[in-house]
């Protein structure tokens, strides 16, 4: 299996189709890689497909899946997995990630729902990750997701994530915003949780915005700017694990590209500040 090129680095941006022409004409210097959901592009032809190919020929890309439903009860969509593999090969994309959640039963539920933190669920999702990795011929990364309830919980979220990563021998897409949201909603210390994660399995990271309903409730929306506590948590992650590739997600209330690039530049600044610390302790 392959895990992707070691050259992936720096600050990235989740690609929106509306920005493709601008990125082809004047690619922002701060954006060193892009992320796309393959389900939104598989089977697409015409000008949009040609423009995407032009971008993937010029810039590093990662793929982040939306609909495999790794924890779901229905059989895996193996045709979709094969189509994703073909898409990765056509565009020369080595890194593929998915959510550690489920989103379907008899049909799509159009939401990312938490997998129960149980031994049975670990066995179930580990087997499904193994199927995906075998079909794709590479290790994948799974993302820690935001959640608002944990029915049937037998262990902590941290123990569940650790067990899945270890038994599936997969990698971690560390979503720093989700970690902050869960810490607020479930009353744990975000820094303690962060430092207990297996840093050697972090493949890359996400930051995003959310909506604060109250001091005890945050809703993960990807619809606003990243807030200071999330930036601080990202800096703490770099301090503890070293700098890893990190991208900005924005899915709703999308501002002009220049405004998103400013947040990507903030990622790059935090990475730059962390590098002297790494060298000092290296």
């Amino acid at each position: 299996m392959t895990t992707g090129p070691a050259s992936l680095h720096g600050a990235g941006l989740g690609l929106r189709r509306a920005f493709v022409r601008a990125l082809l004409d004047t690619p922002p210097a701060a954006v060193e890689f892009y992320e796309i959901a393959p389900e939104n592009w598989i089977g697409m032809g015409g000008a949009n497909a040609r423009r995407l190919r032009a971008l993937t020929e010029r810039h590093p890309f990662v793929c982040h899946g939306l609909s495999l439903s790794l924890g779901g009860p229905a059989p895996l969509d193996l045709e979709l997995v094969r189509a994703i593999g073909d898409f990765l090969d056509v565009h020369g994309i080595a890194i593929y990630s998915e959510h550690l959640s489920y989103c379907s039963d008899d049909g799509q539920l159009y939401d990312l729902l938490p997998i129960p933190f149980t031994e049975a669920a670990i066995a179930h999702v580990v087997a499904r990750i193994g199927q995906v990795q075998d079909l794709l011929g590479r290790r994948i990364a799974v993302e820690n997701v935001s959640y608002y309830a944990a029915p049937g919980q037998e262990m902590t979220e941290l123990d569940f994530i650790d067990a899945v990563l270890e038994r599936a021998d997969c990698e971690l897409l560390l979503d720093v915003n989700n970690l902050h949201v869960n810490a607020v909603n479930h009353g744990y210390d975000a820094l303690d949780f962060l430092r207990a994660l297996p840093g050697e399995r972090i493949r890359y990271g996400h930051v995003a915005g959310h909506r604060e309903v109250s001091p005890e409730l945050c809703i993960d929306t990807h619809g606003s700017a990243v807030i200071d506590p999330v930036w601080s948590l990202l800096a703490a992650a770099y301090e503890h694990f070293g700098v890893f590739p990190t991208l900005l997600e924005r899915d709703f209330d999308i501002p002009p590209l220049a405004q998103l690039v400013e947040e990507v530049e903030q990622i790059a600044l935090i990475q730059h500040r962390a590098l002297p610390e790494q060298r000092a302790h290296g």
Side-chain angles (χ1 to χ4, degrees):
M1 289 187 181
T2 60
T3 59
S7 59
L8 186 73
H9 63 276
L13 177 65
L15 181 67
R16 311 302 306 183
R17 200 172 299 167
F19 297 148
V20 168
R21 288 189 181 184
L23 295 173
L24 282 170
D25 293 340
T26 312
V31 181
E32 299 191 61
F33 68 100
Y34 295 93
E35 181 185 77
I36 52 175
E39 294 93 330
N40 292 337
W41 294 89
I42 288 172
M44 180 177 293
N48 280 327
R50 291 193 295 272
R51 292 182 187 117
L52 176 64
R53 186 72 184 108
L55 280 175
T56 60
E57 287 175 346
R58 300 179 193 179
H59 306 284
F61 269 71
V62 296
C63 273
H64 185 45
L66 297 172
S67 54
L68 272 194
S69 197
L70 288 174
L76 277 173
D77 186 342
L78 300 183
E79 288 305 310
L80 175 60
V81 178
R82 293 186 184 97
I84 289 169
D86 291 343
F87 182 86
L88 297 174
D89 290 343
V90 164
H91 290 279
I93 299 171
I95 299 173
Y96 174 70
S97 62
E98 247 289 359
H99 300 85
L100 190 54
S101 64
Y102 74 98
C103 59
S104 65
D105 191 351
D106 291 334
Q108 281 292 326
L109 301 173
Y110 301 103
D111 204 353
L112 298 173
L113 303 173
I115 303 170
F117 301 150
T118 66
E119 283 291 341
I122 291 171
H124 178 69
V125 74
V126 164
R128 287 159 76 88
I129 291 171
Q131 280 186 277
V132 175
Q133 293 188 144
D134 288 345
L135 276 174
L136 295 181
R138 70 192 77 198
R139 293 165 77 191
I140 69 170
V142 294
E143 177 185 356
N144 58 299
V145 298
S146 57
Y147 65 100
Y148 306 94
Q153 183 171 354
E154 295 175 357
M155 64 188 72
T156 66
E157 176 192 357
L158 181 61
D159 287 343
F160 177 80
I161 292 172
D162 283 348
V164 169
L165 295 175
E166 177 67 25
R167 297 183 203 178
D169 191 23
C170 62
E171 298 178 315
L172 174 65
L173 164 50
L174 176 56
D175 192 304
V176 177
N177 178 66
N178 288 350
L179 199 164
H180 170 82
V181 166
N182 290 346
V184 170
N185 291 345
H186 301 289
Y188 60 70
D189 186 280
L191 277 175
D192 288 346
F193 189 104
L194 174 75
R195 291 167 179 158
L197 287 168
E200 71 279 3
R201 292 195 179 270
I202 297 173
R203 190 64 187 88
Y204 70 105
H206 280 171
V207 290
H210 61 267
R211 181 164 64 92
E212 185 177 291
V213 178
S214 74
E216 293 81 30
L217 178 60
C218 294
I219 305 296
D220 181 29
T221 61
H222 296 183
S224 58
V226 180
I227 66 170
D228 287 343
V230 174
W231 289 128
S232 297
L233 196 58
L234 180 64
Y238 294 156
E239 179 182 356
H240 191 70
F241 299 120
V243 173
F244 48 85
T246 306
L247 69 91
L248 174 71
E249 291 187 295
R250 185 68 177 260
D251 296 327
F252 300 100
D253 294 330
I254 298 170
L257 177 60
Q259 189 172 327
L260 295 178
V261 170
E262 289 179 0
E263 290 193 276
V264 176
E265 290 171 343
Q266 180 67 16
I267 297 171
L269 178 61
I270 295 170
Q271 291 176 331
H272 179 74
R273 288 172 175 168
L275 287 172
E277 289 291 325
Q278 281 185 241
R279 289 193 288 265
H281 294 90

